[in-house]
Amino acid sequence: MVATLARPGRLLAKRLLLIQLSVVMVVAVGMGLTINADWGLSALIGGGICIAANAVFALCAFMFSGARAAKLVMATFYTGEVLKILITVILFSVAYMYMEVDLVPLKLTYLLVLAINIFAPVLFINNKK
């Protein structure tokens, strides 16, 4: 019973991550073909940073469910959010310090994938009545 409560949220998170991954791949291939391979790689890294952080958050957010585990749900939710921010900072630091990346496609793709989170409710509206 408790696992069934979190199932719709897990499915929505999985769908959102797949949509984000497909957008990153399309943008990276598009930039790689139209501009150059360095822009494509930078776009892939920028989108990958956002997807990795969101995947860790989704794993933590849906780890527990149910009224009896309310404190665990909140604790893992906040832990997931902190980990998401830390992973984002660490991965951007690694990308800036150790990789030769172009900043425009890196940040542009990161912000594009982040915008998908903002517009996700519009993507998942269910008009079935």
Side-chain angles (χ1 to χ4, degrees), residues 24-82:
V24 168
M25 296 305 290
V26 167
V27 169
V29 169
M31 284 187 180
L33 292 176
T34 57
I35 299 170
N36 62 24
D38 290 337
W39 274 55
L41 182 62
S42 296
L44 188 65
I45 292 169
I49 290 171
C50 192
I51 291 173
N54 285 338
V56 169
F57 172 73
L59 284 172
C60 290
F62 296 109
M63 193 176 296
F64 299 103
S65 63
R68 291 184 184 166
K71 289 183 180 182
L72 285 174
V73 169
M74 291 307 297
T76 55
F77 186 86
Y78 287 125
T79 303
E81 189 63 32
V82 168

Side-chain angles (χ1 to χ4, degrees), residues 6-115:
R7 187 173 297 136
R10 287 182 184 140
L11 290 176
L12 283 175
K14 190 182 296 185
R15 282 179 52 195
L16 181 63
L17 288 171
L18 287 175
I19 289 170
Q20 290 174 339
L21 181 63
S22 62
V23 167
V24 168
M25 296 305 290
V26 167
V27 169
V29 169
M31 284 187 180
L33 292 176
T34 57
I35 299 170
N36 62 24
D38 290 337
W39 274 55
L41 182 62
S42 296
L44 188 65
I45 292 169
I49 290 171
C50 192
I51 291 173
N54 285 338
V56 169
F57 172 73
L59 284 172
C60 290
F62 296 109
M63 193 176 296
F64 299 103
S65 63
R68 291 184 184 166
K71 289 183 180 182
L72 285 174
V73 169
M74 291 307 297
T76 55
F77 186 86
Y78 287 125
T79 303
E81 189 63 32
V82 168
L83 283 174
K84 178 180 175 180
I85 293 168
L86 285 175
I87 288 171
T88 302
V89 168
I90 290 168
L91 289 178
F92 267 118
S93 298
V94 168
Y96 290 149
M97 289 195 293
Y98 298 114
M99 297 179 188
E100 296 277 333
V101 292
D102 293 318
L103 296 180
V104 173
L106 180 86
K107 292 180 181 180
L108 185 68
T109 309
Y110 177 80
L111 291 174
L112 178 66
V113 175
L114 201 59

